[in-house]
Amino acid sequence: MIIVFWISLFIAFYTFVGYGLLLYFVIKIKRIFKGKPVLPIVADDNLPTCTLVVAAYNEEHFIAQKIANSLQLNYPAGKLKFVFVTDGSSDRTPEIIGQHQQIQLLHRPERAGKIAAVHRAMEYVDTEVVVFTDANTFLNTEAITRICRHYSDKTVGAVAGEKRVQIDASADASAAGEGFYWKYESALKKWDSELYSVVGAAGELFSVRRNLYQDVPADTVLDDFMISMLIAAKGYRIIYEPEAYALETASENVSEELKRKIRIAAGGIQSILRLKSLLLPFKFPILSFQYISHRVLRWTVTPFFLILAFITNFAVAFAGKGLIYELLFAGQVLFYSLAIFGYIMEERQIRIKILFIPYYFCVMNYAVMAGIIRYFTTQQSSVWEKAQRKM
């Protein structure tokens, strides 16, 4: 029982904290011997040609802002194209886009899902680089320039931008928790990139070399993750560029965020099963280490080890095996009590920010377990399941 407890606790700790600490110290040591990485300086004439692809479904509330934001992006004249695909949209989204001649509009009345729309859009992309971004996210002016400068390195196959969540003073647990989560994720991605490669990209903002792009199966849930990881599996690196960021509002509430997280978790299991070769460290040992540590553990066993750690800790502590077990169990009880209290306060719309982290942490791990169950019990669909965002 004691051995099971320590194994469970170690895996849970390593997944959420230990890997980040290990990365931090490895990067510090690496810099002692190789110095801090130098960002590439690329003249405008040497920047690659680029296409910005936006897949939008019923985004009439955001699309005018998205268009204005896209047309304000700073990139050498004649080197940036815009393709917006709106398959299935039944609101004014296609009409609003059609008012702008600078943008190539692709629209079909039938709704086949985001990845089908992306596949169709890629047929029209003839530039060296393609950048994908969501319709309800807004990029900083220099985002494309910051991303595309990395393609001067031939070992780079994809570049991931940073996701930032807009949080106001009255933010609920979903907004504050999501914001904190992405700040931590951004730090991990920065260190992953410096060590070797980012482990997948988020659809809010990422790019790939056009000649390395590979269509993924039509039922793919996490198309952005799969597209980028298939490039990594070919031996190319995915670079993280925090100076290129996509700003979006948080989910409308915890229920909407939970719906999104469950879908991501189901997609995570699907991705792991389709990227089985990366679980073996023989071909790309560092990438496999990063992939398992940063993604696989979170998406598979760790939530269950959290439960196992609590149960075995309870048994060992009340068996009188030592003060350390009693203190650890008390710490777990306190943490989960704060999470439950956070849930109660959230239901009553009382904002106590110190409770957001334990509450969001529990919601996130519940979503993983629910996503695993969903994947193995229901048929997956790649059709948009839009989480409502704050307006």
Side-chain angles (χ1 to χ4, degrees):
M1 187 72 73
I2 291 176
I3 293 174
V4 173
F5 165 69
W6 284 111
I7 291 174
S8 302
L9 185 64
F10 172 78
I11 292 175
F13 177 82
Y14 176 77
T15 300
F16 297 112
V17 180
Y19 178 61
L21 291 174
L22 179 61
L23 267 183
Y24 175 80
F25 287 112
V26 168
I27 293 302
K28 287 290 186 184
I29 294 170
K30 183 179 179 181
R31 288 179 180 179
I32 291 174
F33 293 97
K34 294 190 175 182
K36 196 171 182 179
V38 179
L39 292 172
I41 299 175
V42 182
D44 286 357
D45 291 344
N46 295 325
L47 285 169
T49 55
C50 178
T51 300
L52 183 73
V53 172
V54 178
Y57 170 70
N58 285 353
E59 295 284 3
E60 65 179 0
H61 297 296
F62 289 99
I63 201 66
Q65 291 174 270
K66 181 65 178 182
I67 292 169
N69 174 254
S70 299
L71 297 179
Q72 290 172 0
L73 293 171
N74 183 23
Y75 206 70
K79 286 197 169 188
L80 181 60
K81 297 181 180 180
F82 304 92
V83 174
F84 282 49
V85 55
T86 62
D87 293 356
S89 289
S90 56
D91 63 0
R92 294 182 60 247
T93 301
E95 176 188 339
I96 295 170
I97 297 171
Q99 297 170 3
H100 300 268
Q101 294 183 350
Q102 310 97 311
I103 297 174
Q104 183 173 8
L105 170 63
L106 305 176
H107 176 71
R108 285 180 178 173
E110 62 271 15
R111 182 186 180 197
K114 180 181 177 182
I115 190 56
V118 169
H119 287 168
R120 196 162 76 86
M122 289 300 294
E123 297 174 7
Y124 295 85
V125 175
D126 58 3
T127 53
E128 298 167 85
V129 172
V130 54
V131 175
F132 301 97
T133 181
D134 287 343
N136 58 357
T137 63
F138 305 102
L139 312 184
N140 59 308
T141 306
E142 300 297 325
I144 308 300
T145 304
R146 296 291 185 264
I147 283 174
C148 288
R149 63 183 174 177
H150 291 283
Y151 289 107
S152 60
D153 183 344
K154 300 302 181 184
T155 69
V156 174
V159 181
E162 179 174 298
K163 173 182 175 178
R164 296 184 183 180
V165 180
Q166 185 175 326
I167 303 172
D168 55 36
S170 60
D172 61 8
S174 66
E178 189 181 356
F180 176 84
Y181 169 77
W182 277 106
K183 286 180 181 178
Y184 181 57
E185 270 295 292
S186 296
L188 290 182
K189 288 181 179 182
K190 182 178 179 181
W191 297 331
D192 269 335
S193 181
E194 191 170 340
L195 178 62
Y196 175 67
S197 174
V198 177
V199 188
E204 287 78 13
L205 178 60
F206 79 104
S207 70
V208 301
R209 290 187 188 273
R210 176 64 181 91
N211 65 333
L212 296 179
Y213 172 83
Q214 179 180 335
D215 282 352
V216 295
D219 65 342
T220 301
V221 179
L222 300 184
D223 51 278
D224 43 13
F225 182 82
M226 282 295 298
I227 289 169
S228 56
M229 287 304 290
L230 286 173
I231 290 175
K234 295 175 183 177
Y236 292 89
R237 298 162 60 219
I238 307 172
I239 295 297
Y240 182 60
E241 177 49 85
E243 291 185 20
Y245 59 85
L247 182 66
E248 72 174 13
T249 55
S251 298
E252 190 171 89
N253 51 50
V254 173
S255 296
E256 290 296 321
E257 179 65 7
L258 180 60
K259 180 173 71 174
R260 192 177 72 89
K261 288 291 186 186
I262 291 174
R263 180 177 182 275
I264 290 173
I269 292 296
Q270 182 191 65
S271 300
I272 290 168
L273 294 174
R274 292 180 178 179
L275 294 168
K276 292 187 292 290
S277 63
L278 290 179
L279 298 176
L280 302 175
F282 307 116
K283 194 171 184 180
F284 305 114
I286 299 178
L287 178 63
S288 293
F289 163 71
Q290 293 177 298
Y291 176 51
I292 293 170
S293 298
H294 195 161
R295 294 297 180 196
V296 176
L297 290 177
R298 287 191 191 185
W299 286 345
T300 55
V301 298
T302 298
F304 300 98
F305 275 114
L306 284 169
I307 297 173
L308 189 58
F310 185 84
I311 294 172
T312 54
N313 195 176
F314 170 80
V316 172
F318 280 86
K321 297 298 183 179
L323 180 61
I324 181 65
Y325 298 104
E326 295 174 11
L327 292 174
L328 286 171
F329 184 67
Q332 290 198 71
V333 169
L334 175 62
F335 182 84
Y336 293 121
S337 297
L338 291 173
I340 293 171
F341 191 50
Y343 167 75
I344 295 171
M345 293 297 101
E346 180 68 18
E347 288 294 301
R348 297 180 179 180
Q349 296 188 340
I350 300 174
R351 313 299 187 208
I352 303 178
K353 290 190 176 182
I354 195 172
L355 304 178
F356 290 167
I357 293 174
Y359 177 38
Y360 189 82
F361 178 85
C362 290
V363 168
M364 188 171 64
N365 282 282
Y366 167 78
V368 171
M369 292 186 286
I372 292 172
I373 294 170
R374 167 178 163 169
Y375 180 77
F376 289 109
T377 58
T378 62
Q379 185 175 359
Q380 301 308 301
S381 171
S382 60
V383 175
W384 272 284
E385 294 181 51
K386 293 181 58 171
Q388 296 301 310
R389 293 280 173 181
K390 296 182 186 295
M391 301 297 290

